[in-house]
Amino acid sequence: MTSRRRFFQGVGAAAAAASLAQVSQVALAALPEPVLQDKPDTMPPLVPATGREYNPVVTLNGWTLPWRMNGGVKEFHLVAEPVVREMALGFKAHLWGYNGQSPGPTIEVVEGDRVRIFVTNKLPEHTSVHWHGQRIPNGMDGVSGLTQPAIGPGKTFVYEFVARRPGTFMYHPHADEMTQMAMGMMGLWVTHPRAKHALIDEVQRDFCFLLNAYDIDPGSATPKIMTMLDFNLWSWNSRIFPGIDSLNVRLGDKVRIRIGNLTMTNHPIHLHGHEFTVTGTDGGPTPKSARWPEVTTDIAVGQMRQIEFVADEEGDWAFHCHKSHHTMNAMGHDVPTMIGVEHRGVARQITQLIPDYMVMSERGMADMTEMQMPLPDNTIPMMTGEGPFGSVEMGGMFSVLKVRRGQSPGDYRDPGWYQHAAGAVAFEWTGSLPDPARFAAQGGQSMPIRQKAMRETEVRVRKPTGHSGH
Ligand SMILES: [Cu+2]
């Protein structure tokens, strides 16, 4: 009963009711009852009630798909369907996903498990599921047209194979891929090692999430699927800051974070206050001789990186993509840089013609967090998030690693803001100041310029620019 209760905790009350129905129908139904999830919260780890033991992962703003055992085979039921994903409080996106969510639930199995996955297609078009990174029989690889016919709308297909090597993998359609991935169809797959593994350490916290990206115009809800690179929402598990949960750990915990990239660009993921090592890639555990300490790891398109560290510094540590446009939410960004341009006088004249005209960004963009600008329905500000000391002026791919002495083992709840010791926070200086050192030389040049000398001038011209390739 205890394990069943933990099992239910892992999937939430609504889903628990669904799996309760599943239990009574197991003997009758050919298909495992699909378990659905309608909450975007981070669910506690799903402790296995049946099958081999393992140390479960925690999916950031996600959940693990329950299974049933059938003659020694682990049976899962994935349902591909349109979903509504709350990407941040008050902002709902109309996506495609699996079992009520985008991304789909994490699938967790153990090395050597025989796995049977029923895939029911409730999308308006055909689909398939590719098990990215896994060693499987070719006919189970899920490439529609190449290794199987596509799964038509309303149809259910079965995939069956043995999870041969431990690691972190992804799943996604290999049918009208551009549309279906732009719409959010993807999920994580974790195969735990069967026994103690020389290259896979025991950890106290094991998190995972996918990097994904959308192009949704403010005020609308459906992603623009033709977008190639110019996405405006950079998300972790289809959530954007401040909608991404913090990663809450106990001081001294060994922490593993598995991050898969299914966007169309690379993401240098950066952790404050700690050094980590990359202990695994899609190809499996990294040999110990090939590990080195880092604070940022670049995750290319289609790659997975698994990082590990000991959380030995208390505090609230920023954890984010280091491309600064990826820590912003949707914005009209075809906007000239106005820093240093005094245009208030001009604005006064313009407002006589266009009453809504406003002066923007002549001192930088931080004013945007305070600006009381009417936003369209169903979007969120481009930079926001109230911290204990004011706005953190972030969005997109940003979260916080919270390291606390008092966090109990197995407790993933948010402990609140870090309480700093007296005098341990950077503070305003009001005393006298020594003269700051300034670099005075103009610098040389490696080669002479072959052109007539011009009168020295300070550039004041602003060149109109496009916005591609950011
Ligand atoms: Cu990024």
Side-chain angles (χ1 to χ4, degrees), residues 374-451:
L375 289 171
D377 287 346
N378 201 44
T379 189
I380 70 164
M382 104 180 179
M383 42 210 278
T384 181
E386 277 304 300
F389 300 102
S391 174
V392 300
E393 298 167 355
M394 286 277 138
M397 294 177 158
F398 182 93
S399 187
V400 180
L401 172 77
K402 295 191 172 184
V403 184
R404 297 289 187 280
R405 197 176 299 271
Q407 193 84 1
S408 301
D411 184 1
Y412 287 85
R413 284 172 303 178
D414 185 343
W417 299 121
Y418 182 60
Q419 302 297 317
H420 299 266
V425 173
F427 59 97
E428 183 185 1
W429 177 257
T430 50
S432 61
L433 287 166
D435 272 349
R438 276 213 173 76
F439 190 70
Q442 290 302 306
Q445 61 189 46
S446 57
M447 292 184 195
I449 299 169
R450 202 177 155 189
Q451 91 188 63

Side-chain angles (χ1 to χ4, degrees), residues 211 234 236 261 263 265-269 298 320-327 397:
L211 308 171
W234 301 97
W236 290 0
N261 180 4
T263 72
T265 189
N266 61 316
H267 301 279
I269 299 296
D298 196 24
H320 59 94
C321 175
H322 217 289
K323 287 186 174 173
S324 49
H325 284 202
H326 293 183
T327 51
M397 294 177 158

Side-chain angles (χ1 to χ4, degrees), residues 32 73 77 90 103 146 161 165 179 191 193 264 302 313 377 415 418 428:
V73 181
H77 192 175
L146 180 65
F161 51 88
R165 64 181 182 89
T179 302
T191 302
M264 296 304 126
E313 294 285 350
D377 287 346
Y418 182 60
E428 183 185 1

Side-chain angles (χ1 to χ4, degrees), residues 11 15-16 18-19 22 32-37 63 65-67 77 99-100 105:
V11 295
S19 46
Q22 165 193 334
E33 194 91 357
V35 182
L36 306 181
Q37 177 56 265
W63 59 299
L65 187 62
W67 63 85
H77 192 175
N99 300 54

